[in-house]
């Protein structure tokens, strides 16, 4: 399922930052390798409320001051809240998106996409 979303990404993933928009995990890359971003899935800032409906090869575009890169979705999975493997450093240019699973506080949706 495709959907249009434009959201500003802020540095850090604390609750104050998440109320402003999407949040970049500071321990991940900002340009090359794995870029990980989180956002809320409900409420006023429910930017990632539909990421679990993305399908393989759907496109995600990330535009930064460093340039624009297009990624193709390679996986959509439900992971444990404590699973931090999506934050791992990679040599391949990737983007990883995280959000909570509605009404399942112990789980997160994790979408991984590779640069095309």
């Amino acid at each position: 399922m495709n959907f249009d979303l434009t959201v500003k990404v802020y540095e850090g993933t604390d609750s104050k930052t998440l109320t402003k928009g999407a949040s970049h995990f500071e321990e991940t890359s900002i340009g090359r390798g794995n870029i990980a971003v989180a956002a809320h899935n409900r409420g006023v800032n429910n930017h990632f409320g539909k990421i679990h409906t993305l399908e393989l090869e759907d496109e995600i575009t990330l535009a930064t001051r460093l340039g624009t890169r297009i990624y193709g979705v390679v996986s959509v999975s439900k992971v444990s809240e404590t699973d931090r493997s999506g934050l791992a450093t990679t040599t391949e240019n990737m983007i990883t998106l995280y959000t909570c699973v509605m009404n399942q506080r112990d789980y997160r949706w994790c979408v991984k996409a590779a640069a095309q």
Side-chain angles (χ1 to χ4, degrees):
M1 171 182 193
N2 287 315
F3 60 90
D4 289 326
L5 170 66
T6 301
V7 60
K8 188 167 183 177
V9 179
Y10 297 89
E11 195 64 26
T13 53
D14 58 69
S15 59
K16 183 178 178 183
T17 304
L18 280 163
T19 62
K20 295 193 287 188
S23 299
H24 173 249
F25 285 90
E26 295 173 302
E27 63 267 35
T28 67
S29 174
I30 194 62
R32 297 191 177 274
N34 183 30
I35 300 167
V37 178
H40 285 305
N41 70 343
R42 60 185 146 186
V44 176
N45 293 323
N46 65 341
H47 303 296
F48 282 8
K50 295 182 181 178
I51 67 168
H52 64 285
T53 66
L54 288 168
E55 297 175 355
L56 296 182
E57 299 183 22
D58 280 351
E59 290 185 350
I60 298 170
T61 303
L62 178 66
T64 71
R65 291 183 181 136
L66 302 173
T68 300
R69 186 173 285 141
I70 298 173
Y71 302 86
V73 173
V74 295
S75 70
V76 178
S77 57
K78 185 163 69 169
V79 299
S80 166
E81 170 196 21
T82 59
D83 182 346
R84 309 285 285 178
S85 63
L87 304 181
T89 301
T90 63
T91 55
E92 181 181 12
N93 290 327
M94 302 194 62
I95 190 166
T96 304
L97 308 179
Y98 276 105
T99 196
C100 297
V101 175
M102 194 173 297
N103 301 320
Q104 295 183 31
R105 68 179 323 157
D106 293 337
Y107 294 95
R108 302 290 181 264
W109 288 114
C110 178
V111 174
K112 293 183 180 187
Q116 298 183 333

